[in-house]
Amino acid sequence: MTERSDHPTLGEATRVWARIAALSFGGPAGQIAVMHRVLVEEKRWLGDGRFLHALNFCMLLPGPEAQQLATYIGWLMHGVRGALVAGLLFILPGVVAIMGLSWVYAAYGQIGIVSALFFGLKAAVLAIVLQAVVRVGRRALRNGVLRAIAAASFLAIFAFQVPFPVIIAVAALIGWVGAKTGLAAFRAGGGHAAVGATHVDDAATLLGEEAALPPSARREALRAGLAALGLWLLPVAVILIIAPGSVFSDIATFFSKLAVLTFGGAYAVLAWVAQEAVGTYGWLGPGEMLDGLGMAETTPGPLIMVLQFVGFLGALREAGWAHPYLAATLGGLLTTWVTFAPCFAWIFLGAPYMEGLRRNLALSAALSAVTAAVVGVILNLALWFAIHVVWSKVAWISLGPLTMELPVPDSINWVAAGLSALAILAVFRLKLGLATVLAGAAGLGLTLHLAGLA
């Protein structure tokens, strides 16, 4: 790519990406807002049109859209090297923070004060997931057909235990067929609305208007994409050969499937992880899943970094090594590797062709249907969290094809219920920020513990 004289050097851009990484708290919405403020409003590297265009492209890909957006803009600025710098810096603080917290949690999680802090965080996480349902629903459910898809996806995963990939595949097929048949509900396609309060024209920015890419940029991206695929799949193949049937082979294959099928953001992915890692593999309990999400909410980096915590606990308990914490560390890092290596592959392989993808109305309609289905999946996640936060006992109810996990009514934890109600009030009524709600809930949990109530 040709750089103008006022184009920032890779070193200058690295400092900008490091700043964004340090500020990337609060899930994808907050991270995208930070990137918009820094890259569009402050630096004027690109305008609103190109920023939203890139964001909508990243929505078409599996994986965390905020991290992939950073990777793509890094590629626009400095090619493959810029993409690697932006993408890796975006996840590095989360890798370090979650690994450190995982060690602390595994070693001291049952100590009263630590347990009390996480008790409070669980209530805050429940409120935050409910907020995600409302936010995504308002954006995605534009008509009755999309609302029906959301309702059907909720019933499928909650009442019939339909696997997450099946729900996503069926929703995408519905959207694609709907567009091909001219159904009005899918004509508008999917995507994001404006991100910031200030509009910045593309022509007034460093990158300017959309421009054709030189053939060398396409070839470089293709080579990098193929290399990323190899760096992802080769370690998985080696593990399957040398350690078949181990927890490491389970981690490599399960989280690789997630990397291919994680449309709809972190909250949708967590519904599948809760269904499989907790229910099928038994790597951790429902409360621990909530604790891990609390860690991810309070540390910089993608929310999907919670998966590293899941892999850490899975290897800690299932590897059977003489040094369990070494196994746990390798399990957590393996999870992160197979989660994010594909993200770079998708960006490098797809970025040169994003214009064609964005103009594909059938693909855009499939995305709309998938996003609608994700609303139902996240609602199921919120309900799953609520059941395990507020009640101490659950029971499986089976009636023909229906299989549901429901709370035992007399096992309600009134302290947890009250704390959850306060967190929901803080989020929806008082409109308090994420950091305030998390800190307040953790503080209340600690106070209740010291008072002998929790």
Side-chain angles (χ1 to χ4, degrees), residues 30-42:
Q31 292 156 0
I32 290 167
V34 166
M35 273 190 281
H36 184 273
R37 188 179 75 241
V38 175
L39 302 178
V40 177
E41 297 178 15
E42 293 182 15

Side-chain angles (χ1 to χ4, degrees), residues 104-121:
V104 171
Y105 185 88
Y108 305 108
Q110 300 306 312
I111 293 177
I113 291 178
V114 176
S115 180
L117 290 172
F118 280 104
F119 176 76
L121 283 176

